[in-house]
Amino acid sequence: MININMNLETQFKQTLTKIKLNKKDKTLVALSGGKDSTTVAYLLKKFGYKIEGFHIDLGMGSYSEKCLEAVRKLCKQLNIKLHLYDIKDEMGSSMCYIRSAIQTEAKGKGLKNCAICGVIKKWIMNKEARKLKATKIATGHNLDDEAQTFFMNMLKGSPQLSANSGAITRNVKDKKFVTRIKPLFYIAENDIRTFSQKMKLPVVYEHCPCAIDSYRIQVRQFMNTLSTKEKENIMKNFDKIFPLIQRLKKEEKLNYCEICGEPSRNKICRMCQLVKVGK
Ligand code: AMP
Ligand code: ZN
């Protein structure tokens, strides 16, 4: 057990060195209540980084209530500030409602639950982190998540979709864009689960009731048959071919969305494109 902890902590520190996280950075940890983001906050605090918590209450019934309770408990334990964003108060309805309105309107376009939720969460995080003058946003994405995404992009025949992936957002430098970091980028999900259980961290272990993207589930099932070493190799390959992937991508200038003013690669950001469909 001691070994697992040591390995995980060593890998975590190595990633922080790689992405050059500074003790002067003010890092907002995006806390979902799950094991990954909880572990990120716990370890960043343990290693003396300046962090605050940020949680989006998605208003999804008892699941969201449990997540909020876990996040509150964690921030109290770690003695860090918690910033709450209640989606019902801020946007008028729960994530389920916003998402199904978007899907009904965009019938046939195959917009997946997790994809919609992901766009909305990222938009909120960037805006709020900027308001709070955070210099980094940390999320709990782990090795399994990243290997899955990279693999799915390869299966789609579109490796260039991974050009913005990595333990740190590399390509985007803009005063309105807060750099995102993924300190668990190289750490396997199973090791994080073991660690969080052993440390008795307040965590909601159940999955989001809306995570029903069948293609991702299929890929995840296949990836679960791989060893950690093999998953690590997938991401090592990713790092090796990253310069090539970047070249496959067209040169893009960052604009500001004509509707909401947030940084965007297009005239209208993905969030506003979605919300427009849902109106
Ligand atoms: P997911 O897209 O649900 O797999 O979550 C990926 C990462 O986004 C998590 O590890 C968290 O860092 C962050 N995140 C997800 N849900 C929330 C939430 N409700 N509030 C704040 N951060 C979140
Ligand atoms: Zn916009």
Side-chain angles (χ1 to χ4, degrees), residues 1-67:
M1 221 33 124
I2 286 168
N3 266 344
I4 285 184
N5 271 10
M6 263 175 45
N7 287 343
L8 188 138
E9 294 188 7
T10 309
Q11 263 174 327
F12 187 89
K13 281 196 223 164
Q14 278 170 355
T15 308
L16 297 185
T17 308
K18 194 168 169 179
I19 62 183
K20 301 190 177 73
L21 185 65
N22 198 295
K23 294 264 159 91
K24 285 186 192 145
D25 267 307
K26 174 174 165 180
T27 302
L28 201 62
V29 186
L31 294 168
S32 63
K35 61 186 183 325
D36 306 301
S37 48
T38 302
T39 300
V40 169
Y42 174 83
L43 287 177
L44 285 177
K45 176 76 182 181
K46 174 170 175 178
F47 298 136
Y49 289 91
K50 202 157 71 182
I51 61 165
E52 292 182 4
F54 178 70
H55 176 68
I56 308 169
D57 184 345
L58 301 169
M60 287 168 27
S62 67
Y63 174 73
S64 290
E65 283 164 21
K66 280 185 234 169
C67 292

Side-chain angles (χ1 to χ4, degrees), residues 242-276:
F242 186 75
L244 252 170
I245 291 178
Q246 263 187 320
R247 263 192 272 150
L248 284 174
K249 211 165 180 235
K250 280 183 265 134
E251 192 61 41
E252 282 172 333
K253 217 183 116 274
L254 209 61
N255 303 306
Y256 295 121
C257 170
E258 285 180 1
I259 297 176
C260 70
E262 285 296 296
S264 163
R265 292 190 175 80
N266 302 303
K267 278 187 168 178
I268 312 281
C269 76
R270 290 179 70 202
M271 166 74 172
C272 290
Q273 282 174 20
L274 283 178
V275 174
K276 211 169 60 179

Side-chain angles (χ1 to χ4, degrees), residues 218-244:
Q218 227 178 317
V219 173
R220 187 185 303 143
Q221 277 166 352
F222 162 69
M223 305 278 289
N224 283 346
T225 65
L226 303 179
S227 65
T228 296
K229 188 85 217 131
E230 287 167 321
K231 288 178 204 164
E232 280 170 1
N233 283 342
I234 292 180
M235 294 325 283
K236 277 189 190 150
N237 291 332
F238 167 76
D239 279 343
K240 274 189 208 152
I241 64 170
F242 186 75
L244 252 170

